[in-house]
Amino acid sequence: MKKMVVGIGVLLSLLLWFSSCGARIEESEEISGSDLLKKEEELAAEGENYIVVGFSQVGSESDWRIASTESFKETFSQENGYYLIFEDAQQKQENQLKAVRNFILQEVDYIVLDPIVETGWDAVLQEAKEAGIPVIVADRQVKVADESLYTCWVGSDFEEQGRRAGEWLESYLEEKGRTSEEIRIVTLQGTRDSTAQIGRTGGFAQILERNDNWTMLERRDGDFTQTKGQEVMEDFLKTYSGIDVVVSENDNMTFGAIEAIEAAGKTCGPDGDVIILSFDAGRAALQAMADGKINVEFECNPLLGPLVSDIIQKLERGEEVEKLQYVKETYFDSTMDLDTIIQERVY
Ligand code: GYE
């Protein structure tokens, strides 16, 4: 595996790329064009070597995403021996394709990709392979015909999260003596065709199937944002009467749904009219649960920066890495000691 020495050459090409494409170069401390020149001199003088990492991030659609970006920027710092080129795709795959191609042109050492959707990556990953640049996929997955087009993937088991949500609902309804009642459910789905959406919807569907008294009224795309989540929930409330359960595939859509439910004069959470199941379990959502508005949160860990760094360090030492690496996760509900959990929460 080649390791690039960041000296005048690379920084100059970064600068050229920066000025010619008008693209944005970001790193832990943000750099402007003239700062970059200064940095170039500094680095050349210090003779330091950096591992250059190009990271194509999904966007900034949610609290989870912000925590993920922070984790990468904090980990891939110059103090840690990295030079990070960070690109926010604003939830558009075409922006990610452009970013990855730019990383290849810049001859970065590693490409880290958090793919918005699973398909459409074969050609660009083939280009990265031909350029000899290892690609580490983080969080969401890619579906490619040739698995050798990426080195490895690290992230959550979204299907397990969805299944866990269904199982939790089964035992909750049993506890409440509602097993023979019709249970009317709606789902706010995450970005259609993203791994997080496919897994959470699919996992929950497995449990839905075995419960004859559950009716899935509708599943609709809320794109993982609060605004969309609120819009879709408002529509659901107008269309369907007697909604018992909302499955919301991330916290930000949940915040939107809560607004919509309350604006419609209804209540939610353990003592409310509507049971809310949510995914991510960020601090703000756990707080909303402590305030009695959410029933349960299925954890999704956004702190993938250090795990990707471990993979890169292994590759640098010429070691093998596991192809698929799942992070361990849990769930939280209102019966738990939420004050302590919130205090310990780092995102
Ligand atoms: O759940 C959501 C974000 O891919 C796991 O994307 C991630 C999801 C996360 O927008 O909040």
Side-chain angles (χ1 to χ4, degrees):
M1 206 140 303
K2 103 195 129 69
K3 178 168 185 212
M4 187 178 282
V5 176
V6 175
I8 291 184
V10 173
L11 278 164
L12 205 58
S13 61
L14 286 176
L15 181 60
L16 279 176
W17 173 74
F18 178 80
S19 48
S20 64
C21 323
R24 208 157 39 101
I25 293 176
E26 272 184 42
E27 48 156 326
S28 41
E29 347 148 357
E30 302 217 350
I31 277 194
S32 71
S34 62
D35 286 347
L36 196 61
L37 263 181
K38 235 190 277 153
K39 205 90 200 161
E40 174 198 331
E41 283 159 14
E42 262 172 44
L43 293 178
E46 289 164 12
E48 288 197 61
N49 296 345
Y50 289 90
I51 297 171
V52 181
V53 176
F55 174 38
S56 173
Q57 174 64 296
V58 167
S60 50
E61 73 284 2
S62 65
D63 294 2
W64 190 98
R65 190 63 53 201
I66 310 284
S68 153
T69 293
E70 272 168 22
S71 168
F72 278 95
K73 287 191 173 174
E74 207 179 294
T75 307
F76 292 95
S77 64
Q78 290 179 12
E79 298 78 68
N80 292 340
Y82 293 105
Y83 190 95
L84 177 67
I85 308 171
F86 176 87
E87 282 294 325
D88 175 340
Q90 300 178 347
Q91 298 239 72
K92 292 201 178 76
Q93 186 179 28
E94 69 211 63
N95 292 341
Q96 291 204 290
L97 294 170
K98 219 185 284 167
V100 172
R101 292 203 162 99
N102 271 328
F103 296 153
I104 297 171
L105 278 178
Q106 292 167 261
E107 299 181 6
V108 300
D109 294 314
Y110 295 90
I111 291 172
V112 180
L113 171 65
D114 187 333
I116 294 166
V117 290
E118 292 194 339
T119 52
W121 299 105
D122 296 76
V124 78
L125 294 187
Q126 183 65 41
E127 291 164 35
K129 190 180 176 185
E130 279 159 19
I133 303 173
V135 175
I136 297 159
V137 182
D139 168 31
R140 302 180 187 176
Q141 300 195 14
V142 291
K143 203 191 254 167
V144 281
D146 172 5
E147 294 286 320
S148 79
L149 292 183
Y150 66 97
T151 305
C152 63
W153 164 86
V154 60
S156 304
D157 188 339
F158 300 112
E159 194 177 306
E160 175 59 24
Q161 292 174 3
R163 238 186 333 258
R164 191 173 276 164
E167 285 163 358
W168 180 92
L169 185 61
E170 269 181 341
S171 32
Y172 183 78
L173 293 172
E174 203 177 306
E175 223 174 83
K176 301 281 167 199
R178 297 178 68 180
T179 43
S180 47
E181 201 179 297
E182 192 205 1
I183 302 297
R184 293 163 67 78
I185 309 172
V186 290
T187 301
L188 299 171
Q189 290 184 298
T191 306
R192 189 69 50 78
D193 298 331
S194 67
T195 313
Q197 177 272 312
I198 297 169
R200 289 168 184 167
T201 301
F204 188 84
Q206 292 167 21
I207 311 301
L208 170 72
E209 244 171 63
R210 67 183 189 207
N211 286 276
D212 294 340
N213 62 322
W214 296 10
T215 308
M216 183 60 71
L217 299 167
E218 193 177 333
R219 301 179 174 108
R220 209 186 293 171
D221 189 353
D223 210 16
F224 284 130
T225 68
Q226 176 158 350
T227 318
K228 266 269 191 108
Q230 182 167 347
E231 265 171 40
V232 174
M233 192 64 218
E234 281 166 3
D235 219 58
F236 280 164
L237 287 161
K238 280 186 207 135
T239 315
Y240 305 104
S241 61
I243 296 173
D244 297 296
V245 180
V246 176
V247 179
S248 169
E249 290 182 357
N250 88 336
D251 283 345
N252 293 79
M253 293 191 296
T254 305
F255 301 146
I258 294 171
E259 298 251 338
I261 290 167
E262 291 181 344
K266 294 186 184 303
T267 54
C268 49
D271 300 319
D273 310 316
V274 186
I275 299 167
I276 309 266
L277 279 65
S278 181
F279 296 84
D280 283 352
R283 188 187 284 115
L286 291 172
Q287 189 54 56
M289 185 153 74
D291 296 341
K293 301 191 187 238
I294 297 175
N295 293 70
V296 62
E297 279 287 343
F298 300 91
E299 185 180 47
C300 185
N301 185 356
L303 307 179
L304 299 180
L307 303 178
V308 173
S309 173
D310 285 351
I311 291 168
I312 291 179
Q313 293 305 326
K314 274 196 179 155
L315 294 171
E316 286 289 304
R317 294 193 295 268
E319 292 170 23
E320 289 280 310
V321 293
E322 261 179 73
K323 190 81 183 181
L324 301 178
Q325 302 184 26
Y326 289 94
V327 296
K328 274 220 177 80
E329 285 155 349
T330 182
Y331 76 95
F332 307 102
D333 70 17
S334 57
T335 62
M336 300 176 185
D337 175 7
L338 293 176
D339 287 344
T340 313
I341 294 167
I342 291 168
Q343 257 173 35
E344 287 168 358
R345 205 77 183 145
V346 288
Y347 54 89

